Amino acid sequence: MPEYLTPSLPLLPLPLLSLLALLSLLLLYFLSHTTTTTTKRNPCPESHPILGNLLSFFRNRHRFHDWVTHLLSTTTTTIQVNGLLGLSHGVCTADPAVVDHLLRSNFANYVKGSRFSSVLHELLGLGIFNVDAHLWTAQRKIASHEFNTKSLKQFVSDTVQSHLSHRLIPVLSEACDGGLTVDLQEVFRRFAFDNVCNVAFGVDPGWLDTNRTKTASNSVNASFVQAFDYAVELTSDRFMTPVPAVWKIKRFLNIGSERKFKEAIAVIDDFAMNMIISKEREYDQIKEDKVQDHSQDLLSRFMSSTSSFGFRDQDERRKFLRDIVISFILAGKDSTSTALTWFFWLIAGHSQCERLIYGELAAAVKASPAGLPTDFSYDELKKLNYLHAALSESLRLFPPVPINSRLALADDILPDGTYVGKGWYADYSAYAMARMEKLWGPDCREFKPERWLNIDGVFQPSDQFKFPVFHSGPRMCLGKDMAYLQMKSIAAAVMYEFEIEVVDGGGDTRKMIDPPYTLSLLLKMRGGLPVRMKRRP
């Protein structure tokens, strides 16, 4: 270019250029956080203009959910949150009207989105809990039909009863008779995983059965158990990291925890595909022999219900089955065990509630032809109103999934006037909602099963958007009734047989101020739940 056409610009000192660059960034940040609308803005009280909530997050990481509760309770129960350098934006709420908006009335605008799919893709693939739109609709339709069949409910009930009688109670009895201290959280985790694998695949990993004879098959099952456990923990760590770029770089480089995660996924895929191929052979043999298929597990059911789907090839069908079944294993793996852990922690700190539950069980046993809680029918369990209320109250205070998230597809205004931008995340905290006085009264932080009972002592459910423990709207948990069935069966059998003494004294009012949870996708108890047991007289 000729010299006379080159614009003449003064050279600025480097410090001045740096200052101008910083001012430009601040201006862009300000403009990105300013809208020309008259909508309400509820900035997080502890947000930094550059660092966002990062510093406050690290200071309160050990009490994350109580920190979120504090932030929401000191505002209008909905706040706007900004990430590091303003690279991410979102809202968090504890307002039932806003939860209704997110999960039902404006359902189409709030999806799982990339925030979920990027974290869970390797584990869940295109499974029902990781997709939206037509992929979700198709799987929901199939699953909804199966979960509403009497035969599946009976299969789940029979599986729970069998595992109670032949596994859980014997394991606890052995510990009781030996005067041993056991980690009830770990026992429940193993029981729930064995149970959900039976329901999902029709196979028994035998994770709780410590005396099981070692065979090649059991070794494969054990590898699957360990791999699945590690994969779930790693995905949880991905979700909770304040800087997602860290795990994404590790995945790209295939190093550290991400390398182990990749190896765990390979074990899960291999196990699932072997199960599917085995079921295909059984299915073909049944058709060839022209006999009725009596298999009740979810894999067999989904194979039957998708036989007419237009899959391109066998591999695509197998991948579909793998993703949907693994999704339900994830849903049932730790949620029930987590709920039961907090339930027994709370009961140990509230002796009057324990006496009322035992009295209800004793009366039910007297009236039951079955004789013991391990053999209670679905209808008999349904009549245990106080136990149902106590479990619901425990779920209210300690929801297995304490906080959930959606992604906004378009700009929106929430019912309380708060602005949500396209691409923002929208979180709702069931944990915080349980601690809002405007929702549950001045005794909201207390464990009071009676709040769920009417004047006649009959259980009364709460509004689903005030109590979103099983989610709400079109994505309401399909396994809600089965989860209650499982929890009531286990709680009834254990409490009728044993007096449970929590080593640290249990969840009394004082300990409710600073409950011992870990920062994870699920509200697990930090350090487990060590207990000693004594047989009832």
Side-chain angles (χ1 to χ4, degrees), residues 137-151:
T137 303
Q139 294 182 61
R140 178 79 180 192
K141 185 177 180 180
I142 297 169
S144 180
H145 168 73
E146 296 298 343
F147 272 78
N148 283 307
T149 58
K150 288 184 178 179
S151 57

Side-chain angles (χ1 to χ4, degrees), residues 515-535:
Y517 55 74
T518 61
L519 183 58
S520 175
L521 273 181
L522 292 174
L523 198 70
K524 295 181 182 178
M525 186 171 288
R526 185 174 62 248
L529 184 62
V531 302
R532 290 184 287 268
M533 290 162 293
K534 186 169 67 173
R535 289 192 184 275

